[in-house]
């Protein structure tokens, strides 16, 4: 993806907020159930991807590994869960095997009168500003699919 804005941020962070009518427990659990996660994080309406294998151990110190196919390319994502506090907080590293750049994803979920609100911060490190917007758009699209599954 060519970037129109090549200005670089050294400590870039993507921020996304999404409101669900589902309970905080249902939204939280969708992050740690491999079958459910595959249906919203790698949905074909977001990007033409085929899930090859997803494995995860959703506890502090546990790891995940996602293998997907995008066209002729096989991609692998992996990471470690640092903080797992059902149903309010999830913190994990996110690494693409393509570039091995370690990023950090922090998710907080707050119950409200109509369901819950999810706040995500994805610490990207040094990257072009356009990439921050791309990452935010990707998370928003994934949360829209997640809403369809859990609401």
């Amino acid at each position: 993806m060519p970037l129109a804005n090549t200005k670089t941020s050294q400590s870039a962070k993507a921020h996304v907020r999404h409101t669900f009518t589902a309970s905080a427990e249902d939204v939280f659990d969708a992050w740690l159930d491999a079958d459910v996660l595959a249906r919203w994080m790698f949905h074909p309406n977001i990007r033409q991807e085929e899930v090859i294998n997803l494995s995860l151990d959703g506890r502090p110190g546990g790891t995940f590994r996602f293998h997907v196919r995008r066209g002729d390319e096989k991609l692998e994502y992996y990471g470690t869960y640092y903080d797992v506090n059902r149903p309010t907080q999830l913190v994990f590293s996110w690494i693409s095997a393509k570039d091995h750049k370690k990023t950090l994803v922090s998710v907080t979920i707050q119950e409200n009168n109509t369901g819950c609100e999810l706040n995500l911060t994805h610490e990207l490190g040094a990257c072009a500003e356009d990439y921050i917007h791309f990452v935010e758009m990707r998370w928003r699209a994934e949360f829209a699919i997640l809403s369809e599954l859990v609401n």
Side-chain angles (χ1 to χ4, degrees), residues 41-128:
M41 189 174 281
F42 300 103
H43 195 278
N45 284 355
I46 299 170
R47 206 182 244 182
Q48 289 299 315
E49 294 175 321
E50 174 192 356
V51 174
I52 299 169
N53 183 42
L54 293 174
S55 61
L56 60 86
D57 178 6
R59 59 190 167 97
T63 61
F64 67 85
R65 193 166 295 277
F66 307 153
H67 294 94
V68 297
R69 180 177 293 118
R70 187 179 305 147
D72 293 335
E73 188 176 19
K74 288 184 182 177
L75 304 168
E76 180 182 359
Y77 304 98
Y78 60 95
T80 301
Y81 295 102
Y82 299 120
D83 196 1
V84 181
N85 290 307
R86 184 179 189 266
T88 60
Q89 188 168 24
L90 185 63
V91 179
F92 56 93
S93 59
W94 179 270
I95 304 164
S96 168
K98 190 174 188 175
D99 63 13
H100 299 286
K101 180 179 177 183
K102 183 176 180 179
T103 65
L104 186 70
V105 177
S106 301
V107 177
T108 58
I109 303 170
Q110 180 74 39
E111 197 84 34
N112 62 31
N113 292 336
T114 59
C116 66
E117 181 176 275
L118 180 148
N119 286 288
L120 176 138
T121 300
H122 193 158
E123 297 179 33
L124 302 166
C127 67

